[in-house]
Amino acid sequence: MTMADGDRNLLVDRAPFPDGLDERLREQFTFLVEVDRLKAVVRQSPLVSVQRRENDAEHSWHLALMVLLLAEHADEPIDVGHTVRLVLVHDLVEIYAGDTPLYDSAAGVDQEEREAAAADALFALLPDDQALRIRALWDEFEARGTPEARFAKAMDRLQPLLLNWMARGGTWRTPGVTADDVRRRKAVIGDASSPLWEAGRLLIDEGERRGWSRSGEPPSDR
Amino acid sequence: MTMADGDRNLLVDRAPFPDGLDERLREQFTFLVEVDRLKAVVRQSPLVSVQRRENDAEHSWHLALMVLLLAEHADEPIDVGHTVRLVLVHDLVEIYAGDTPLYDSAAGVDQEEREAAAADALFALLPDDQALRIRALWDEFEARGTPEARFAKAMDRLQPLLLNWMARGGTWRTPGVTADDVRRRKAVIGDASSPLWEAGRLLIDEGERRGWSRSGEPPSDR
């Protein structure tokens, strides 16, 4: 159990577990307390039910439920249980690396590096075998090389699209962002499911028509 | 698609989906928007990472992750993917029925009735086949007749125990509640996992020793 960042304080340090706790359980509980931080990582997306922005833990739960209900729309057959695992862990690294907004190109530059360092530090809290397993899930999600990872990513893009629709724009109204930008960043939904991407495009197009997103300037000379 | 309570406004009514959306997807998206309300159902448990109480969506995500990491401690073999499904949906009915605090006996009286009505109303938003599937998961969780349901319930009791430990008491300090009450309400953890109940008891006992919970009056005449 080593930390990439030796200066980092763990949440569990505030009330260390007592003597007598089995060592493997101590590592697992330490990790499970540390990931409480995911509830404090705030995203851009506005909630529908209350006036505040969403956090990563709520978002991850919402994606998991979406997988259960929308898996039937995957273009390739997917293992639902495995896809749920991918979405449950996909944002964990943001505990140390922070959320990188979809429409913030500057923050995206060193995102990969920051998140890999965060994964090293966070997953090291777990017993070695579980650290490897969780790391493998996160790597699979990031690489998008399997149908399950592509579907998980599609959920990650579709869920805020639903929230933005309900907010009559939401982050679609981010300064400098056009409806074309939205379509471009959401197109990965189509890598996993044609019907879901068709539905997503319908919402984006209709949102643009209603002025909930900015229409791009038409090209000047053609 | 009928509602038990005809007067209930759906979240989706604030920004109805446009014409042209496939009917089955419309029902699925309507449900997925409605369950955003789970993020607004506040529980008693204090978070570790920030100074506020937890909501049901965050709690459900935390349980799902606990299932992935702690399933190895189940006394009987469990299907991990199925157990994760149970915890993802176990609190959905609280969207309409509200959270019933563990140590509030009065609110517990009509809890079953309120939650069954809520399940009828909420799950009816889904296509019929999926309404049945989700309802079956919720019924299974409530009945605790399977090893998966017992393990899911154990997570539901162990997670706030960890949060209360980190808060040096938390809801253990609820007026009128004693360490014996805590032990009694948490004992269902032992129906699913001896090592996890042993660990839970260690935290409750040590908490009592430190004065984080109230020791009961010793019986007066024996």
Side-chain angles (χ1 to χ4, degrees), chain A residues 14-15 24 62 72 168, chain B residues 14 24 39 72 165 168:
Chain A
R14 300 183 194 169
R24 187 169 170 93
H62 212 162
E72 64 186 28
R168 298 163 183 261
Chain B
R14 300 183 193 168
R24 187 170 169 90
K39 303 166 189 171
E72 65 186 29
W165 171 268
R168 299 165 183 260

Side-chain angles (χ1 to χ4, degrees), chain A residues 182-208:
Chain A
V182 177
R183 272 183 287 268
R184 205 160 24 240
R185 313 244 176 143
K186 298 293 179 181
V188 294
I189 297 171
D191 294 343
S193 166
S194 312
L196 289 178
W197 178 219
E198 193 187 320
R201 235 174 16 214
L202 177 72
L203 298 182
I204 299 169
D205 293 352
E206 180 63 22
E208 180 184 10

Side-chain angles (χ1 to χ4, degrees), chain B residues 155-174:
Chain B
M155 297 301 98
D156 194 31
R157 291 286 159 89
L158 180 60
Q159 190 255 4
L161 199 158
L162 290 175
L163 296 187
N164 281 334
W165 171 268
M166 291 307 304
R168 299 165 183 260
T171 66
W172 295 346
R173 298 181 189 269
T174 306

Side-chain angles (χ1 to χ4, degrees), chain A residues 105-126:
Chain A
S105 313
V109 170
D110 67 338
Q111 183 183 1
E112 208 169 315
E113 201 173 318
R114 276 184 296 115
E115 294 193 343
D120 288 343
L122 181 65
F123 301 151
L125 298 175
L126 283 168

Side-chain angles (χ1 to χ4, degrees), chain A residues 11 14 33 35-41 55 57-58, chain B residues 42-56 58-59 61-62 159-160 162-164 166-168 170:
Chain A
L11 288 181
R14 300 183 194 169
V33 165
V35 299
D36 197 73
R37 293 186 194 268
L38 200 67
K39 303 166 189 171
V41 179
N55 69 58
E58 301 166 322
Chain B
V42 178
R43 299 166 50 80
Q44 298 297 313
S45 313
L47 294 184
V48 190
S49 50
V50 276
Q51 284 263 6
R52 63 171 172 83
R53 292 189 293 155
E54 190 180 41
N55 69 58
D56 269 350
E58 299 166 326
H59 166 71
W61 165 79
H62 212 160
Q159 190 255 4
L162 290 175
L163 296 187
N164 281 334
M166 291 307 304
R168 299 165 183 260

